[in-house]
Amino acid sequence: MNPAGSVFLLFLVLGSWRRSSSKKKDLQSVCGRPKYSGRIVGGQDAVEGHWPWHVSLYFGQTYICGGSLISDRWILTAAHCLKRTWMPFLHYTVWLGTMKIDYLNSGVKHYVLRTIFHPQSQNTTADIALLKLIPRVTFTSFILPICLPNVTKQMTIPGSCWVTGWGQVHETEGTDYASTLQEAEILVIDRQTCEYLYNPLIAVAPELETIIKEDMICAGENHKRDSCKGDSGGPLSCHIDGVWTQIGLVSWGERCAKSLPGVYTNVTYYQKWIQATISRAEVWGPIIWTYLIYCSLLCCSLWLSWDPPVRLWA
């Protein structure tokens, strides 16, 4: 590569890095601050614009799960919602800015460029995954990211938070999903209490394996409000220090809104993994694409400049 080409390549890489840095600062000023305030099983129709980070995930034409927008390019969802595939853009799409899953014309569609599973997601823990979108998301009054927990600052989780989703509003098998986004305020339950509810024998036999792992949190109210089938991947949003912060995502449960609370993946527990994964992708992504573009341009240049030998007839 000649010196001019090296300088140009370096300029592109540094430019991409500077744009990523500035976007990170911008993200902190807009996340978790919906433009509209409004005031699931046992829930109610959500107010339009109240949860601008909640997205719907589709496999082909079929709605499969919820998710949350955490930046202008990344979606957080549950790992069990996804199938492992080399070309996710052929299968997965995400809709943003819409309240209804049966009327998507009001929303914005993005293709999923890449799916990233937590390395331990094939076990019984780490039910968490990241989706990288193409193209970047344009923020509006109805499309905004939610804040993630700050791992360097002690955070006090309020006694109740909000779960949102398009899942079943009744537990009965075969019940249709809600067409309008549902919202429900639910109690946050400490992990030890939740363990006793799911595993009452552990009180007398502490050697038993725990059911509620340290990467899980619980929330819900007996016979009242809960997440349900179809809500998986959606956020558990808490209003903390004046902004909305995602502390969990819908993972699993036993019988919706019955005697047991819903179980959520603890986003705070995985915040370092989320940050590290996105940082690696944002740093190496522009470098790899720049290299591929440079190689393509070089090949095209060589092909165009190639002067085939003239064959003379004897």
Side-chain angles (χ1 to χ4, degrees), residues 89-160:
F89 54 86
L90 296 179
H91 307 285
Y92 291 109
T93 53
V94 169
W95 282 86
L96 305 93
T98 180
M99 294 287 294
K100 296 182 178 294
I101 58 172
D102 55 359
Y103 182 73
L104 298 175
N105 291 336
S106 61
V108 179
K109 180 181 181 180
H110 283 259
Y111 289 91
V112 175
L113 174 65
R114 187 180 177 192
T115 57
I116 303 178
F117 295 81
H118 190 278
Q120 297 177 342
S121 62
Q122 290 181 310
N123 300 328
T124 57
T125 58
D127 187 17
I128 189 169
L130 286 163
L131 309 178
K132 188 175 185 179
L133 303 180
I134 46 175
R136 291 187 182 275
V137 174
T138 300
F139 296 153
T140 70
S141 298
F142 301 101
I143 302 174
L144 287 171
I146 189 170
C147 297
L148 294 180
N150 189 336
V151 293
T152 62
K153 180 181 177 182
Q154 185 66 31
M155 181 180 64
T156 301
I157 298 176
S160 64

Side-chain angles (χ1 to χ4, degrees), residues 31-299:
C31 73
R33 296 170 174 83
K35 302 296 183 183
Y36 304 101
S37 295
R39 118 67 253 33
I40 312 223
V41 176
Q44 60 196 18
D45 287 357
V47 177
E48 189 171 15
H50 195 185
W51 312 106
W53 44 82
H54 198 115
V55 306
S56 54
L57 176 62
Y58 284 76
F59 184 84
Q61 302 297 317
T62 304
Y63 168 78
I64 54 172
C65 277
S68 55
L69 181 68
I70 59 173
S71 77
D72 66 346
R73 192 140 197 186
W74 293 90
I75 299 294
L76 192 63
T77 190
H80 78 261
C81 291
L82 306 168
K83 298 178 182 178
R84 296 176 186 267
T85 173
W86 286 103
M87 294 182 287
F89 54 86
L90 296 179
H91 307 285
Y92 291 109
T93 53
V94 169
W95 282 86
L96 305 93
T98 180
M99 294 287 294
K100 296 182 178 294
I101 58 172
D102 55 359
Y103 182 73
L104 298 175
N105 291 336
S106 61
V108 179
K109 180 181 181 180
H110 283 259
Y111 289 91
V112 175
L113 174 65
R114 187 180 177 192
T115 57
I116 303 178
F117 295 81
H118 190 278
Q120 297 177 342
S121 62
Q122 290 181 310
N123 300 328
T124 57
T125 58
D127 187 17
I128 189 169
L130 286 163
L131 309 178
K132 188 175 185 179
L133 303 180
I134 46 175
R136 291 187 182 275
V137 174
T138 300
F139 296 153
T140 70
S141 298
F142 301 101
I143 302 174
L144 287 171
I146 189 170
C147 297
L148 294 180
N150 189 336
V151 293
T152 62
K153 180 181 177 182
Q154 185 66 31
M155 181 180 64
T156 301
I157 298 176
S160 64
C161 296
W162 289 78
V163 61
T164 46
W166 284 282
Q168 292 179 351
V169 293
H170 300 288
E171 186 195 14
T172 307
E173 189 67 31
T175 303
D176 291 337
Y177 291 164
S179 61
T180 301
L181 185 67
Q182 298 291 295
E183 61 179 21
E185 186 175 16
I186 55 179
L187 299 179
V188 179
I189 301 169
D190 68 89
R191 189 161 63 91
Q192 185 178 30
T193 300
C194 191
E195 178 66 33
Y196 288 152
L197 291 173
Y198 271 92
N199 191 13
L201 290 178
I202 202 167
V204 294
E207 69 277 4
L208 292 175
E209 182 180 359
T210 58
I211 294 176
I212 308 303
K213 310 299 183 183
E214 61 179 346
D215 70 330
M216 303 173 186
I217 56 176
C218 300
E221 295 180 60
N222 291 352
H223 308 286
K224 291 183 179 180
R225 303 179 181 92
D226 194 6
S227 54
C228 200
K229 184 178 180 181
D231 290 322
S232 291
L236 181 62
S237 307
C238 302
H239 201 245
I240 302 173
D241 297 331
V243 297
W244 287 95
T245 302
Q246 182 174 354
I247 67 162
L249 61 86
V250 181
S251 181
W252 62 277
E254 294 265 349
R255 304 190 66 192
C256 314
K258 297 300 181 183
S259 59
L260 297 173
V263 182
Y264 297 72
T265 301
N266 189 336
V267 173
T268 306
Y269 184 90
Y270 288 108
Q271 174 62 348
K272 289 184 178 179
W273 173 79
I274 295 170
Q275 289 180 338
T277 301
I278 292 177
S279 295
R280 283 195 301 268
E282 295 292 353
V283 169
W284 286 105
I287 295 175
I288 293 171
W289 277 110
T290 302
Y291 176 76
L292 291 175
I293 292 171
Y294 175 78
C295 290
S296 298
L297 290 174
L298 179 61
C299 290

